[in-house]
Amino acid sequence: CETCSKEEAKYRCPRCMKYSCSLLCVKKHKLALSCNGVRDKTAFISVNEFTDLNLLSDYRFLEDVGRTADAAARLPTMHSPTTKKLLCCLRNKARKCNIDLRTLPVGFTKRRENSTTFNCMENKFYWHLKLIFPHCRAEYTLKGVPDDKTLADILKPYIDPVESDPVVCQRLKIYTASPQSDVQILMKIENRKQNSIRYNELDASRSLLDNLKGKVIIEYPTLFVVLKTLKNDMVVLGQ
């Protein structure tokens, strides 16, 4: 067992291929590695290792995609005039704030997840936000984040050694143990070639709205929290 290193392994995770001996160890490994235990149907397989089973798996995956797209196209609520009007209003409000907000077609996961709203009375966005901590393989989803909240305040419940939740603090201890000056917040630049991925560095002392101005957002912002002292493959624009 790769979790407790005591008992003989009985199970193998379809997702990360880790060996476990019991249900308890399976749950521990999922929590530690943020593993959902579901086989990655799109994982890369070299030509030398490609078998008839992989071909069959790909064929079934494409069939599932077709069924999902067909079901989404038949869903009346997603195509209702009210839904389209709300999305159009959301994009227009973002454009007035100098944000290029783009929405995906019906059936996409990010379209289904997005809970971003605009409060006309307060003239304020309440964003659906995703935080990714790559050094700990952890990610968190936030809903209803006001656009006037600073990034530093948004991150406090996660990486602040005093104000963060004890469970989250333990999981992100590599961040909480590092000086705040080492923390870097990045956001992927959209509409670039696959081999030319770059990131914008955001200012933690400024509001979420100020950081999003002049940028392209696909459905909702996704922020990557990294440490300058640790090596990562994310290239910041201008470097």
Side-chain angles (χ1 to χ4, degrees):
C1 177
E2 294 184 59
T3 302
C4 67
S5 302
K6 296 178 181 178
E7 302 292 335
E8 183 181 354
K10 299 178 182 177
Y11 314 105
R12 192 178 190 185
C13 178
R15 181 78 178 188
C16 62
M17 299 301 173
K18 295 285 184 183
Y19 287 98
S20 303
C21 66
S22 62
L23 180 61
L24 181 62
C25 285
V26 169
K27 290 181 177 179
K28 283 183 179 179
H29 113 265
K30 286 183 177 180
L31 185 63
L33 302 177
S34 299
C35 177
N36 57 14
V38 179
R39 182 177 67 86
D40 185 4
K41 297 178 182 178
T42 61
F44 174 77
I45 299 174
S46 64
V47 176
N48 295 333
E49 298 174 350
F50 201 83
T51 64
D52 290 342
L53 287 176
N54 299 125
L55 181 63
L56 183 61
S57 175
D58 287 354
Y59 182 75
R60 287 175 176 169
F61 174 71
L62 292 175
E63 283 188 323
D64 290 341
V65 171
R67 280 194 294 268
T68 304
D70 184 61
R74 295 171 185 269
L75 195 63
T77 54
M78 298 303 292
H79 296 279
S80 67
T82 305
T83 303
K84 291 180 179 179
K85 186 177 179 180
L86 288 173
L87 287 176
C88 186
C89 178
L90 203 63
R91 289 192 294 263
N92 289 338
K93 294 294 184 183
R95 192 178 298 112
K96 290 180 180 179
C97 296
N98 193 26
I99 300 173
D100 187 358
L101 178 62
R102 303 183 185 183
T103 53
L104 294 169
V106 175
F108 277 72
T109 302
K110 291 187 76 172
R111 171 89 293 274
R112 189 168 58 250
E113 290 177 344
N114 195 2
S115 62
T116 301
T117 58
F118 184 83
N119 190 312
C120 295
M121 298 291 290
E122 300 177 10
N123 195 32
K124 184 190 297 185
F125 273 97
Y126 285 88
W127 289 97
H128 183 105
L129 188 65
K130 182 172 284 188
L131 300 177
I132 297 179
F133 299 85
H135 302 308
C136 296
R137 296 182 181 179
E139 63 177 59
Y140 300 92
T141 299
L142 289 70
K143 296 183 178 181
V145 181
D147 62 11
D148 57 354
K149 195 171 185 179
T150 64
L151 297 187
D153 289 337
I154 293 173
L155 291 178
K156 269 185 181 180
Y158 299 91
I159 61 174
D160 189 277
V162 178
E163 298 187 28
S164 62
D165 179 87
V167 177
V168 176
C169 182
Q170 178 63 23
R171 187 177 183 186
L172 304 178
K173 57 185 177 182
I174 191 172
Y175 289 90
T176 54
S178 302
Q180 293 298 310
S181 57
D182 286 345
V183 177
Q184 192 176 30
I185 307 171
L186 307 177
M187 189 170 75
K188 183 181 175 182
I189 301 174
E190 302 293 349
N191 296 335
R192 290 183 67 92
K193 294 180 180 179
Q194 187 64 28
N195 60 352
S196 179
I197 297 175
R198 294 291 182 273
Y199 294 82
N200 275 319
E201 183 174 4
L202 307 184
D203 188 347
S205 63
R206 300 180 68 185
S207 69
L208 178 60
L209 180 64
D210 289 339
N211 278 291
L212 296 182
K213 285 182 178 179
K215 297 180 178 65
V216 177
I217 308 296
I218 307 296
E219 288 291 346
Y220 55 80
T222 300
L223 308 184
F224 295 84
V225 185
V226 300
L227 296 174
K228 299 176 184 177
T229 52
L230 295 180
K231 183 182 179 183
N232 62 76
D233 299 327
M234 299 178 180
V235 181
V236 179
L237 190 69
Q239 289 184 346

